[in-house]
């Protein structure tokens, strides 16, 4: 009888089952998932588990270095939940269902007269416990006022914030830490790779994907199953070790 040569498929290998992430989670949360799972790349998927993009350590760090754009929260449509989580903050007053932060990020470390001429409506401002500065910010209708050192506000400030539609949160961090951390609240979809992604299918032959790996030289590649969902990640290590599923 003729012996059929059964060629090894990607789906036969013991590929890495990997944590997928949603596009709206923060950079800080994604970094924490990478560290706890000891991985350098995370597939970003939609609600149906279809691949939307890839987040790598290098895209995280590159973008973090390039992120000194003080309107980044507005451009990336960052949510209040991401900001609260990233700053370990507590909400004092949230204006509306899903507040939008459409201004620049500032630190209120200046004289009241300078502050009044610098701050614009919609800005996101980190401030300490000086009530006169808080009042100026509310009067200027900033979109978000972030208090440092877990400060609370007076009833008068609270009332003015409600009347002017100003969201107020309080973080245990100092000003420097809060300013450094806040850019990590942007959603991963604003920095993930989404163009020309190299993926493999569980049905691809192992022999066929070797050349693609050699040409592209990425650390790891998403593997897609028959339903078009992410089945895991594969790297050159899996081809070398040829470990089959048990």
């Amino acid at each position: 009888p003729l012996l059929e040569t059964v060629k090894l498929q990607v789906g036969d290998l013991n590929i890495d089952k990997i944590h997928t992430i949603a596009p709206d989670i923060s950079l800080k949360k994604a970094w924490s998932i990478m560290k706890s799972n000891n991985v350098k790349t995370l597939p970003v998927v939609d609600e149906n588990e279809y691949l939307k993009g890839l987040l790598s350590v290098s895209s995280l760090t590159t973008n973090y270095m390039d992120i000194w754009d003080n309107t980044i929260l507005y451009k990336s449509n960052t949510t209040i939940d991401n900001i609260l989580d990233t700053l370990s903050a507590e909400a004092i007053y949230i204006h509306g269902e899903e507040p939008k932060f459409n201004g620049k990020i500032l630190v209120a470390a200046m004289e009241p007269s300078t502050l009044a001429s610098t701050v614009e409506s919609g800005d996101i401002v980190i401030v300490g416990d000086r009530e006169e500065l808080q009042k100026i910010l509310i009067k200027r209708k900033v979109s978000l006022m972030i208090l440092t050192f877990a400060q609370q506000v007076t009833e008068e400030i609270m009332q003015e914030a409600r009347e002017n539609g100003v969201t107020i949160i309080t973080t245990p961090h100092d000003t420097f830490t809060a300013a450094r951390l806040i850019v990590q609240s942007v959603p991963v979809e604003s920095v993930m790779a989404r163009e020309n992604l190299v993926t493999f299918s569980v049905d691809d032959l192992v022999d066929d994907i070797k050349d693609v790996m050699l040409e592209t030289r990425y650390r790891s590649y998403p593997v897609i199953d028959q339903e078009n969902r992410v089945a895991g990640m594969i790297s050159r290590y899996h081809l070398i070790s040829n470990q089959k599923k048990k």
Side-chain angles (χ1 to χ4, degrees), residues 67-119:
I67 226 163
W68 302 111
D69 167 357
N70 63 4
T71 59
I72 189 72
L73 297 193
Y74 167 55
K75 287 177 181 166
S76 62
N77 214 4
T78 301
T79 62
I80 184 66
D81 287 344
N82 275 14
I83 296 171
L84 286 166
D85 182 56
T86 303
L87 295 178
S88 309
E90 173 194 324
I92 292 178
Y93 170 68
I94 298 205
H95 180 69
E97 286 290 303
E98 286 180 8
K100 291 276 175 274
F101 310 111
N102 52 4
K104 58 190 181 298
I105 305 165
L106 286 175
V107 172
M110 53 199 87
E111 285 301 311
S113 56
T114 315
L115 184 65
S117 61
T118 310
V119 173

Side-chain angles (χ1 to χ4, degrees), residues 82-194:
N82 275 14
I83 296 171
L84 286 166
D85 182 56
T86 303
L87 295 178
S88 309
E90 173 194 324
I92 292 178
Y93 170 68
I94 298 205
H95 180 69
E97 286 290 303
E98 286 180 8
K100 291 276 175 274
F101 310 111
N102 52 4
K104 58 190 181 298
I105 305 165
L106 286 175
V107 172
M110 53 199 87
E111 285 301 311
S113 56
T114 315
L115 184 65
S117 61
T118 310
V119 173
E120 297 168 301
S121 168
D123 284 350
I124 298 110
V125 187
I126 299 167
V127 67
D129 60 355
R130 286 178 65 183
E131 199 169 322
E132 60 178 324
L133 297 185
Q134 295 172 3
K135 284 187 170 181
I136 292 168
L137 298 178
I138 292 172
K139 202 171 175 185
R140 300 292 291 167
K141 289 184 163 36
V142 299
S143 58
L144 177 62
M145 187 160 80
I146 301 165
L147 305 175
T148 55
F149 292 116
Q151 308 279 349
Q152 294 297 317
V153 294
T154 61
E155 194 47 55
E156 185 188 354
I157 291 283
M158 184 72 129
Q159 189 54 40
E160 287 180 19
R162 282 198 192 98
E163 287 164 9
N164 288 277
V166 176
T167 294
I168 304 178
I169 67 175
T170 182
T171 173
H173 297 299
D174 58 55
T175 304
F176 171 75
T177 309
R180 199 172 57 86
L181 280 177
I182 194 164
V183 293
Q184 294 182 29
S185 65
V186 306
V188 295
E189 66 185 331
S190 61
V191 307
M192 70 185 185
R194 55 178 92 213

Side-chain angles (χ1 to χ4, degrees), residues 27 55-68 191:
L27 300 187
L55 185 75
S56 63
V57 168
S58 59
S59 64
L60 261 183
T61 49
T62 305
N63 279 281
Y64 190 63
M65 297 311 285
D66 294 343
I67 226 163
W68 302 111
V191 307

